[in-house]
Amino acid sequence: MGLLFRFRNHHTVKKIIRHQYIYFMLFPAVLLIFVFQYLPLVGWLMAFKDYKPGFSLWSAEWIGFHQFYVFFFQSSDYIYLIRNTLIMNILSTTVSLFVSLIFALLINEIRVKFFVKTVQTITFFPFFISWVIIYSLMNALFAQESGLINQLLVSWHVIDEGINLLGGKQYAWGMIVAMDVWKGLGYNSIIFIASISAIPVDQYEAAEIDGAGRFKKMRYVTVPNLMPTLIVLLIINSGYVFSSDISKYLLFMNSLNWETMEVLDMYIYNRGLKLFNFPYATAVEIVKSCVSITLIIGVNQLSKKLTGKAIF
Amino acid sequence: MFNKNKALIVSLCLIVLLGMLAACSKATDQSPSTNKSAETGKSAETNQSGAAAAPQDRPFYSIKVMVRVLPEVKFEETGFGKIIKDKFNMTFDFIPYTGDYVEKLNLMLAAGDYPELLNIRNNDMVQKYIDANVLVPLDDYLEDAPNFAKMFEKYIPNWRISPDNKLYKWEANVPTDAVYYAKGLDIAVRMDALEQQGWPNLLSTDSYITFLKKALEQNPETNGQKTIGMTVAFAGNLMAWLPQVMFEKGGRYLASILNGVIFNDVTKEFEDLSTNEYVLESYQFFNKLYREGILDKESFTDTEDQVQEKLNSGRALSVWYSVYKTRTANPLLSKAGKPNMQYIRLPVRSDKQIERNEKRELFETDANAQGSVAITKEAKYPERIIELLNWISTDEAQTLMQNGEEGVYYTIVDGKKQPTDQYKAVLAKTEKDTFGLNGLSQVFPTYKTKDANGNYIDMLADPDVNDQLMLSAEERNAYKQLGWKNSYQYWLDTGVPQSVGLVYQVVIDPASELGAAEANIVQLRSKWTPRLIQAKNDEEFQSIWEQYLVEHEKLNPQKLVDEYNRLYAEKAKNQ
């Protein structure tokens, strides 16, 4: 009884009881995340066992780090995979965010509301288009012989023969980054536009009193106020630097551009899931997750040190 | 007000929690270790639902089957479906699927969620399902299925792929007479191009290069767009085997696992596919096509859909391997007022194959691992499925399945089946197939051979009948111009039936070390093939080939070949 009394009077417990309804509201979200994000981590056991689908995971033989050894030491595939993944994801994230930032700044300067709304709507459309449609569009426009753009350029004698954008390995990175920027422009810019609208008006008034024109206001008021948002987005996205949208690469990767187009997630899909080798796929995924966690912590600390701003 | 809010919040949280618990719970135990049927494999409900009871006394039994494309008419509404319902009080519910079927099989096994009757695409997949104790052993049912046991007596030993030698599966489309696969998947060529050059009989790779080069000069544009010499769908996984299939156009090679190895029917041994002499000739052929500007540059990124579009518009003068796509393209071209631009299928051989002049091997399917079908432990009444299987293993059922009802879809003239106008309309897709021809061919055996009178059970097996029904007048005329009796003539004259036999039973677990090595070999081949095809001249081709051989050797392909041969020798010893 005394224990119960002490428990109930503990300051943390008292705090929880005082805010119990807040915690009740939080509970479903926590449960959802726990069930769908944390519980499945038990499946990481697959990477350390000789698991065969259809059989019990618990009774499978323990093989330790064998799958990790196979990935790192039995082939050198991981070198170009990690290179491609990092380059495309880092470029996509940074270019996408900066282009969206500039777009948001420019949109903010337009006074004609109807025009602003129209442009925002149009730039938001690509976000909803599936990669299958995008591939069909890209093929129709940029196919080496039959693509519209290539045909026009050849007929105008700008080039002698069509550019193999879809097959050339030298174009892979640029093409993926450009498509990601185009697709994410509307969505990413909304976050910045929302941040801009939260900037106190008196800062602009004060700048105007000091004689600042439109560009100086943008430079000394808008941009500094957007920096925290940008940093938060960069930190969050740094955790996804090893994750790729596999539907994009399934369509755009082919036998000509694999060297620069194949990413870690495609490798996991081809070598793991398609060959029914779930332990190997899980092992590679664990490596990916560990590196991502390290990165996000590292970037957060770096940001804290350099700018004083961080998520945690 | 505050108490009301408290109550509302608490209720909302409880509802969400209950909802999640309900969503996460499972109604039945799907664990593979659960033995739904008794150890003997026979259902405990045999007395209630077994063959002894009359159909109307048995519970209605609907079996789910996964199919790529739904039939036009629901199975239970077709003529064949009604016969099955009357005889067995059973029907089939076709469930469409999309995406990769093998992946679906993997995921179904991992999730423990699979239908009662399942087409399991390959022997390695069948073995996985057997290992997971998911399939019903069929040996105990054989005494209840005398027709099945007798009809497939010769093939059942091939179907015992499990180390315990039990029978777990049967194979659809076994046996199939060689005539069904006689027409090779070689090259389809546009008819007007042939006509312009006086109907040449093309066969050698050089003859194709000369012909297509001239045809491009004569037809620089088609419908306002640049004409393509040859289109091929190299995108995706197809680069790993499509440029290599020249090996099947000569003699001695037919069955191939199409991964790391190829089976030599003369030496009865597996060989390395990647370095096969016919495969090298195939690469040289594609390299020449590329250098001459005949091979479509978009082939490396084209999928089958894009190749289909190029055939539908008639832009391509020819297509490699995907000749079946002309079945869609030809009617469209005809409808567009360009019947002379339809495509016909022609043979091709490499120089060495012509020089050796060996009989081409025509598939006589005595094994079809791709058509493996098994009853899973989800089956409520496996004995009823066996009963149906037993009836289907009769000439009566096979004739019905493959031809429809006599008097409706065909008549008998001089002892041979002759199609009626209704059958022709169904084939031409101007009328719906209300009978459900071959509706169960994905899951039940449909043996495509001759009956006791020496006539083909399936009237479409007769080459002349097939040409009349399946080819347009222009296509038939084209073959006539070439001096052929029918579209099968070249292959039937130069081919010899070859059974697949044990070859498809030799399986290496893809998840094993050797399986991974084989995947590496295939991937390497897929990555180097474009370089070979795009070589600028013979010297560069030779240099790339030598570099490829060095890389290939690093993967130790001989170890894979030796293992395949060891497994084959073991299977042959047990026969």
Side-chain angles (χ1 to χ4, degrees), chain A residues 185-253:
Chain A
L185 177 64
Y187 180 83
N188 288 328
S189 65
I190 278 180
I191 299 169
F192 291 116
I193 290 168
S195 296
I196 291 172
S197 64
I199 298 171
V201 175
D202 47 359
Q203 287 191 25
Y204 287 105
E205 287 171 359
E208 186 140 358
I209 289 167
D210 287 342
R214 281 174 92 171
F215 285 107
K216 284 212 169 133
K217 276 187 212 170
M218 211 189 294
R219 189 178 157 191
Y220 292 108
V221 178
T222 315
V223 171
N225 276 288
L226 282 179
M227 281 303 111
T229 307
L230 183 66
I231 287 166
V232 165
L233 286 174
L234 276 172
I235 293 172
I236 290 171
N237 279 299
S238 68
Y240 296 111
V241 82
F242 271 102
S243 296
S244 308
D245 185 350
I246 201 177
S247 53
K248 181 171 51 181
Y249 295 98
L250 271 171
L251 293 158
F252 285 96
M253 195 177 94

Coordinates of all heavy atoms in Angstrom, one line a residue, chain A residues 185-253:
Chain A
L185 N 8.8 19.7 -56.7 CA 8.9 21.2 -56.6 C 7.7 21.8 -55.9 O 7.8 22.5 -54.9 CB 9.0 21.8 -58.0 CG 9.0 23.3 -58.1 CD1 10.2 23.9 -57.4 CD2 9.0 23.8 -59.5
G186 N 6.5 21.4 -56.3 CA 5.3 22.0 -55.7 C 5.1 21.6 -54.3 O 4.8 22.4 -53.4
Y187 N 5.4 20.3 -54.0 CA 5.2 19.8 -52.6 C 6.2 20.5 -51.6 O 5.9 20.9 -50.6 CB 5.4 18.3 -52.6 CG 5.3 17.6 -51.3 CD1 4.0 17.3 -50.8 CD2 6.4 17.3 -50.5 CE1 3.9 16.7 -49.6 CE2 6.3 16.7 -49.3 CZ 5.0 16.4 -48.8 OH 4.9 15.8 -47.6
N188 N 7.5 20.5 -52.1 CA 8.5 21.1 -51.2 C 8.3 22.6 -51.0 O 8.6 23.1 -49.9 CB 9.9 20.8 -51.7 CG 10.3 19.3 -51.6 OD1 9.9 18.7 -50.6 ND2 11.1 18.8 -52.5
S189 N 7.9 23.3 -52.1 CA 7.8 24.7 -52.0 C 6.7 25.1 -51.0 O 6.7 26.2 -50.4 CB 7.6 25.3 -53.4 OG 6.3 24.9 -53.9
I190 N 5.7 24.3 -50.8 CA 4.6 24.6 -49.9 C 5.1 24.7 -48.5 O 4.6 25.6 -47.8 CB 3.5 23.4 -50.0 CG1 2.6 23.6 -51.2 CG2 2.7 23.4 -48.7 CD1 1.6 22.6 -51.3
I191 N 6.1 23.9 -48.1 CA 6.6 24.0 -46.8 C 7.3 25.4 -46.6 O 7.1 26.1 -45.6 CB 7.6 22.9 -46.5 CG1 6.9 21.5 -46.7 CG2 8.3 23.0 -45.1 CD1 7.8 20.3 -46.7
F192 N 8.0 25.8 -47.6 CA 8.7 27.1 -47.5 C 7.7 28.2 -47.6 O 7.9 29.2 -46.9 CB 9.8 27.2 -48.6 CG 10.9 26.3 -48.5 CD1 11.2 25.3 -49.4 CD2 11.8 26.4 -47.4 CE1 12.3 24.4 -49.2 CE2 12.8 25.6 -47.2 CZ 13.1 24.6 -48.1
I193 N 6.7 28.1 -48.4 CA 5.7 29.2 -48.5 C 5.0 29.3 -47.2 O 4.7 30.5 -46.7 CB 4.7 28.9 -49.7 CG1 5.4 29.0 -51.0 CG2 3.5 29.8 -49.6 CD1 4.6 28.5 -52.2
A194 N 4.7 28.2 -46.6 CA 4.1 28.3 -45.2 C 5.0 29.0 -44.2 O 4.5 29.8 -43.4 CB 3.7 26.9 -44.8
S195 N 6.3 28.7 -44.3 CA 7.2 29.3 -43.4 C 7.3 30.8 -43.7 O 7.4 31.6 -42.7 CB 8.6 28.7 -43.6 OG 8.6 27.4 -43.2
I196 N 7.3 31.2 -44.9 CA 7.4 32.6 -45.3 C 6.2 33.3 -44.7 O 6.3 34.4 -44.2 CB 7.5 32.8 -46.8 CG1 8.8 32.3 -47.3 CG2 7.3 34.3 -47.2 CD1 9.0 32.3 -48.8
S197 N 5.0 32.7 -44.8 CA 3.8 33.4 -44.3 C 3.8 33.5 -42.8 O 3.1 34.4 -42.3 CB 2.5 32.6 -44.8 OG 2.5 31.3 -44.2
A198 N 4.7 32.8 -42.1 CA 4.7 32.9 -40.7 C 5.7 33.9 -40.2 O 5.9 34.2 -39.0 CB 5.1 31.5 -40.1
I199 N 6.5 34.5 -41.2 CA 7.4 35.6 -40.8 C 6.7 36.8 -40.4 O 5.8 37.3 -41.1 CB 8.4 35.9 -42.0 CG1 9.2 34.7 -42.4 CG2 9.3 37.1 -41.7 CD1 9.9 34.8 -43.7
P200 N 7.1 37.4 -39.2 CA 6.3 38.6 -38.7 C 6.4 39.7 -39.7 O 7.5 40.0 -40.2 CB 7.0 38.9 -37.4 CG 7.8 37.7 -37.0 CD 8.1 36.9 -38.3
V201 N 5.3 40.4 -39.9 CA 5.2 41.5 -40.9 C 6.1 42.6 -40.4 O 6.6 43.4 -41.3 CB 3.7 41.9 -41.1 CG1 3.6 43.1 -42.0 CG2 2.9 40.7 -41.6
D202 N 6.2 42.8 -39.1 CA 6.9 44.0 -38.6 C 8.4 43.9 -39.0 O 9.1 45.0 -39.1 CB 6.8 44.2 -37.1 CG 6.9 42.9 -36.3 OD1 7.2 41.9 -36.9 OD2 6.8 43.0 -35.1
Q203 N 8.9 42.7 -39.3 CA 10.3 42.6 -39.8 C 10.5 43.3 -41.2 O 11.4 44.0 -41.5 CB 10.8 41.2 -39.8 CG 11.0 40.6 -38.5 CD 11.7 39.2 -38.5 OE1 12.4 38.9 -39.5 NE2 11.5 38.4 -37.5
Y204 N 9.4 43.0 -42.0 CA 9.5 43.6 -43.4 C 9.3 45.1 -43.2 O 9.9 45.9 -44.0 CB 8.4 43.0 -44.2 CG 8.6 41.6 -44.7 CD1 8.0 40.5 -44.1 CD2 9.6 41.4 -45.7 CE1 8.3 39.2 -44.5 CE2 9.9 40.1 -46.1 CZ 9.2 39.0 -45.5 OH 9.5 37.7 -45.9
E205 N 8.4 45.6 -42.3 CA 8.2 47.0 -42.1 C 9.4 47.7 -41.6 O 9.8 48.8 -42.1 CB 7.0 47.2 -41.1 CG 5.7 46.9 -41.6 CD 4.6 46.9 -40.6 OE1 4.9 47.1 -39.4 OE2 3.4 46.6 -41.0
A206 N 10.1 47.0 -40.7 CA 11.4 47.6 -40.2 C 12.4 47.7 -41.3 O 13.1 48.7 -41.4 CB 11.9 46.8 -39.0
A207 N 12.5 46.7 -42.1 CA 13.4 46.7 -43.3 C 13.1 47.8 -44.2 O 14.0 48.5 -44.8 CB 13.4 45.3 -44.0
E208 N 11.8 48.0 -44.5 CA 11.3 49.1 -45.4 C 11.7 50.4 -44.9 O 12.2 51.3 -45.6 CB 9.8 49.0 -45.6 CG 9.3 49.9 -46.6 CD 8.2 49.3 -47.5 OE1 7.9 48.1 -47.3 OE2 7.7 50.0 -48.4
I209 N 11.5 50.6 -43.6 CA 11.9 51.9 -42.9 C 13.4 52.1 -43.1 O 13.8 53.3 -43.3 CB 11.5 51.9 -41.4 CG1 10.0 51.9 -41.3 CG2 12.2 53.0 -40.7 CD1 9.4 51.6 -39.9
D210 N 14.2 51.0 -43.0 CA 15.6 51.2 -43.2 C 16.1 51.3 -44.6 O 17.2 51.4 -44.9 CB 16.3 49.9 -42.6 CG 16.3 49.9 -41.1 OD1 16.0 51.0 -40.5 OD2 16.5 48.8 -40.5
G211 N 15.1 51.4 -45.5 CA 15.4 51.6 -47.0 C 15.7 50.4 -47.8 O 16.2 50.5 -48.9
A212 N 15.3 49.2 -47.3 CA 15.5 48.0 -48.1 C 14.5 47.8 -49.2 O 13.3 48.1 -49.0 CB 15.4 46.8 -47.1
G213 N 15.0 47.5 -50.4 CA 14.2 47.2 -51.5 C 13.7 45.7 -51.5 O 13.9 45.0 -50.5
R214 N 13.1 45.2 -52.5 CA 12.5 43.9 -52.6 C 13.6 42.8 -52.4 O 13.5 41.9 -51.6 CB 11.8 43.6 -53.8 CG 10.4 44.3 -53.8 CD 9.7 44.1 -55.2 NE 8.9 42.9 -55.2 CZ 8.1 42.6 -56.1 NH1 8.0 43.3 -57.2 NH2 7.4 41.5 -56.1
F215 N 14.7 43.0 -53.1 CA 15.8 42.0 -53.0 C 16.5 42.0 -51.7 O 16.8 40.9 -51.1 CB 16.8 42.2 -54.2 CG 16.3 41.7 -55.5 CD1 16.0 42.7 -56.5 CD2 16.1 40.4 -55.8 CE1 15.5 42.2 -57.7 CE2 15.6 40.0 -57.0 CZ 15.3 40.9 -58.0
K216 N 16.7 43.2 -51.1 CA 17.3 43.3 -49.8 C 16.4 42.7 -48.7 O 16.9 42.0 -47.8 CB 17.7 44.7 -49.5 CG 18.9 45.2 -50.2 CD 19.7 46.2 -49.5 CE 21.0 46.4 -50.2 NZ 21.3 47.8 -50.4
K217 N 15.1 42.9 -48.9 CA 14.2 42.3 -47.9 C 14.3 40.8 -48.0 O 14.3 40.1 -47.0 CB 12.7 42.7 -48.2 CG 12.3 44.1 -47.7 CD 10.8 44.3 -47.9 CE 10.5 45.7 -48.1 NZ 9.2 46.0 -48.6
M218 N 14.3 40.3 -49.2 CA 14.4 38.8 -49.4 C 15.7 38.3 -48.8 O 15.7 37.3 -48.1 CB 14.5 38.6 -51.0 CG 13.8 37.2 -51.3 SD 14.1 36.8 -53.0 CE 13.2 38.0 -54.0
R219 N 16.8 39.1 -49.0 CA 18.1 38.6 -48.5 C 18.3 38.7 -47.0 O 18.8 37.8 -46.4 CB 19.2 39.4 -49.2 CG 20.6 38.9 -49.0 CD 21.6 39.8 -49.7 NE 22.9 39.6 -49.1 CZ 23.9 40.3 -49.4 NH1 23.8 41.3 -50.3 NH2 25.1 40.1 -48.8
Y220 N 17.7 39.8 -46.4 CA 18.0 40.0 -45.0 C 16.9 39.6 -44.1 O 17.1 39.5 -42.9 CB 18.4 41.5 -44.8 CG 19.7 41.8 -45.4 CD1 19.8 42.7 -46.5 CD2 20.9 41.3 -44.9 CE1 21.0 43.0 -47.1 CE2 22.1 41.6 -45.5 CZ 22.2 42.5 -46.6 OH 23.4 42.8 -47.2
V221 N 15.7 39.4 -44.7 CA 14.5 39.0 -43.8 C 14.0 37.6 -44.1 O 14.0 36.7 -43.3 CB 13.4 40.0 -44.0 CG1 12.2 39.6 -43.1 CG2 13.8 41.4 -43.6
T222 N 13.7 37.4 -45.4 CA 13.0 36.2 -45.8 C 14.0 35.0 -45.6 O 13.7 34.0 -45.0 CB 12.5 36.2 -47.2 OG1 11.8 37.5 -47.4 CG2 11.5 35.1 -47.5
V223 N 15.1 35.1 -46.3 CA 16.1 34.0 -46.3 C 16.5 33.6 -44.9 O 16.5 32.4 -44.5 CB 17.2 34.2 -47.2 CG1 18.3 33.2 -47.1 CG2 16.8 34.3 -48.7
P224 N 16.9 34.5 -44.0 CA 17.4 34.1 -42.7 C 16.2 33.4 -41.9 O 16.5 32.5 -41.2 CB 17.8 35.4 -42.0 CG 18.1 36.3 -43.1 CD 17.2 35.9 -44.3
N225 N 15.0 33.9 -42.1 CA 13.9 33.2 -41.4 C 13.6 31.8 -42.0 O 12.9 31.1 -41.3 CB 12.6 34.1 -41.6 CG 12.6 35.2 -40.5 OD1 12.4 34.9 -39.3 ND2 12.8 36.5 -40.9
L226 N 14.0 31.6 -43.2 CA 13.7 30.3 -43.8 C 14.8 29.3 -43.4 O 14.6 28.0 -43.6 CB 13.6 30.4 -45.3 CG 12.3 30.9 -45.8 CD1 12.4 31.0 -47.4 CD2 11.1 30.1 -45.4
M227 N 15.9 29.7 -42.9 CA 17.0 28.8 -42.7 C 16.7 27.7 -41.7 O 17.0 26.5 -41.9 CB 18.2 29.6 -42.1 CG 19.0 30.3 -43.2 SD 19.6 29.1 -44.5 CE 18.6 29.6 -45.9
P228 N 16.0 28.0 -40.6 CA 15.6 26.9 -39.7 C 14.8 25.8 -40.4 O 15.1 24.6 -40.2 CB 14.8 27.6 -38.6 CG 15.2 29.0 -38.6 CD 15.6 29.3 -40.0
T229 N 13.9 26.2 -41.2 CA 13.1 25.2 -42.0 C 14.0 24.4 -42.9 O 13.8 23.2 -42.9 CB 12.0 26.0 -42.8 OG1 11.3 26.8 -42.0 CG2 11.1 25.0 -43.4
L230 N 14.9 25.1 -43.6 CA 15.7 24.4 -44.5 C 16.6 23.4 -43.7 O 16.8 22.2 -44.2 CB 16.6 25.4 -45.2 CG 17.5 24.8 -46.3 CD1 16.8 24.3 -47.4 CD2 18.5 25.9 -46.8
I231 N 17.1 23.8 -42.6 CA 18.0 22.9 -41.9 C 17.3 21.7 -41.4 O 17.7 20.6 -41.4 CB 18.7 23.7 -40.7 CG1 19.7 24.6 -41.2 CG2 19.3 22.7 -39.7 CD1 20.2 25.7 -40.3
V232 N 16.0 21.9 -40.9 CA 15.2 20.8 -40.4 C 15.0 19.8 -41.5 O 15.1 18.6 -41.3 CB 13.9 21.3 -39.8 CG1 12.9 20.2 -39.6 CG2 14.1 22.0 -38.4
L233 N 14.6 20.4 -42.7 CA 14.3 19.5 -43.8 C 15.6 18.7 -44.2 O 15.5 17.5 -44.6 CB 13.8 20.3 -45.0 CG 12.3 20.8 -44.8 CD1 12.0 21.7 -46.0 CD2 11.4 19.6 -44.8
L234 N 16.7 19.4 -44.2 CA 18.0 18.7 -44.6 C 18.3 17.6 -43.6 O 18.7 16.5 -44.0 CB 19.1 19.7 -44.7 CG 19.3 20.5 -46.0 CD1 20.3 21.6 -45.8 CD2 19.6 19.6 -47.1
I235 N 18.1 17.9 -42.3 CA 18.5 16.9 -41.3 C 17.5 15.7 -41.5 O 18.0 14.5 -41.5 CB 18.3 17.5 -39.9 CG1 19.4 18.5 -39.7 CG2 18.5 16.3 -38.8 CD1 19.3 19.3 -38.4
I236 N 16.3 15.9 -41.7 CA 15.3 14.8 -41.8 C 15.6 14.0 -43.0 O 15.6 12.8 -43.0 CB 13.8 15.4 -41.9 CG1 13.4 15.9 -40.5 CG2 12.9 14.3 -42.3 CD1 12.1 16.6 -40.5
N237 N 15.9 14.7 -44.1 CA 16.1 14.0 -45.4 C 17.5 13.3 -45.4 O 17.7 12.3 -46.2 CB 16.1 15.0 -46.6 CG 14.7 15.2 -47.0 OD1 13.9 14.3 -47.4 ND2 14.2 16.5 -46.9
S238 N 18.4 13.7 -44.5 CA 19.7 13.0 -44.5 C 19.5 11.5 -44.0 O 20.3 10.7 -44.4 CB 20.6 13.7 -43.6 OG 20.2 13.6 -42.2
G239 N 18.4 11.3 -43.3 CA 18.2 9.9 -42.8 C 17.7 9.0 -44.0 O 17.8 7.8 -43.9
Y240 N 17.2 9.7 -45.1 CA 16.7 8.9 -46.2 C 17.7 8.8 -47.3 O 17.4 8.4 -48.4 CB 15.4 9.5 -46.7 CG 14.3 9.5 -45.7 CD1 13.8 10.7 -45.2 CD2 13.7 8.3 -45.4 CE1 12.8 10.6 -44.2 CE2 12.7 8.2 -44.4 CZ 12.2 9.4 -43.9 OH 11.2 9.4 -43.0
V241 N 18.9 9.2 -47.0 CA 19.9 9.3 -48.1 C 20.3 7.9 -48.7 O 20.7 7.8 -49.8 CB 21.2 10.0 -47.7 CG1 22.1 9.1 -46.9 CG2 21.9 10.7 -48.8
F242 N 20.0 6.8 -48.0 CA 20.2 5.5 -48.5 C 19.0 4.8 -49.0 O 19.0 3.7 -49.5 CB 20.9 4.6 -47.5 CG 22.4 4.7 -47.5 CD1 23.0 5.4 -46.5 CD2 23.1 4.0 -48.4 CE1 24.4 5.5 -46.5 CE2 24.5 4.1 -48.4 CZ 25.1 4.9 -47.5
S243 N 17.8 5.5 -48.9 CA 16.6 4.9 -49.3 C 16.2 5.5 -50.7 O 16.2 6.7 -50.9 CB 15.5 5.2 -48.3 OG 15.8 4.6 -47.1
S244 N 15.8 4.6 -51.6 CA 15.4 5.1 -52.9 C 14.0 4.5 -53.3 O 13.6 3.5 -52.8 CB 16.4 4.5 -54.0 OG 17.7 4.8 -53.6
D245 N 13.3 5.3 -54.1 CA 12.0 4.9 -54.6 C 12.2 3.8 -55.6 O 12.5 4.1 -56.8 CB 11.3 6.1 -55.1 CG 9.8 5.8 -55.5 OD1 9.5 4.6 -55.5 OD2 9.1 6.7 -55.8
I246 N 12.0 2.6 -55.3 CA 12.3 1.5 -56.2 C 11.5 1.5 -57.4 O 11.9 1.0 -58.5 CB 12.2 0.1 -55.4 CG1 13.0 -1.0 -56.1 CG2 10.8 -0.3 -55.2 CD1 13.0 -2.3 -55.3
S247 N 10.3 2.0 -57.4 CA 9.4 2.0 -58.6 C 10.0 2.8 -59.7 O 9.9 2.5 -60.9 CB 8.0 2.5 -58.2 OG 8.1 3.8 -57.6
K248 N 10.8 3.9 -59.3 CA 11.5 4.7 -60.3 C 12.6 3.9 -61.0 O 12.7 4.0 -62.2 CB 12.0 5.9 -59.5 CG 12.7 6.9 -60.3 CD 13.1 8.2 -59.5 CE 13.7 7.9 -58.2 NZ 14.0 9.1 -57.4
Y249 N 13.3 3.2 -60.2 CA 14.5 2.5 -60.8 C 14.1 1.3 -61.6 O 14.8 0.9 -62.5 CB 15.5 2.2 -59.7 CG 16.1 3.5 -59.1 CD1 15.6 4.0 -57.9 CD2 17.1 4.2 -59.8 CE1 16.1 5.2 -57.4 CE2 17.6 5.4 -59.3 CZ 17.1 5.9 -58.1 OH 17.5 7.1 -57.6
L250 N 13.0 0.7 -61.2 CA 12.5 -0.5 -61.9 C 12.2 -0.1 -63.4 O 12.4 -0.9 -64.3 CB 11.2 -1.0 -61.3 CG 11.4 -2.1 -60.2 CD1 10.1 -2.4 -59.5 CD2 12.0 -3.4 -60.7
L251 N 11.8 1.1 -63.5 CA 11.4 1.6 -64.9 C 12.6 2.1 -65.6 O 12.7 1.8 -66.8 CB 10.3 2.7 -64.8 CG 9.0 2.2 -64.2 CD1 8.2 3.3 -63.6 CD2 8.2 1.5 -65.3
F252 N 13.4 2.9 -65.0 CA 14.4 3.6 -65.7 C 15.8 2.9 -65.8 O 16.6 3.2 -66.6 CB 14.7 5.0 -65.0 CG 13.6 6.0 -65.3 CD1 12.6 6.2 -64.5 CD2 13.6 6.7 -66.5 CE1 11.6 7.1 -64.7 CE2 12.6 7.6 -66.8 CZ 11.6 7.8 -65.9
M253 N 16.0 1.8 -65.0 CA 17.2 1.1 -65.1 C 17.2 0.1 -66.2 O 16.2 -0.6 -66.4 CB 17.5 0.4 -63.8 CG 18.9 -0.1 -63.6 SD 19.3 -0.9 -62.1 CE 19.0 -2.6 -62.5

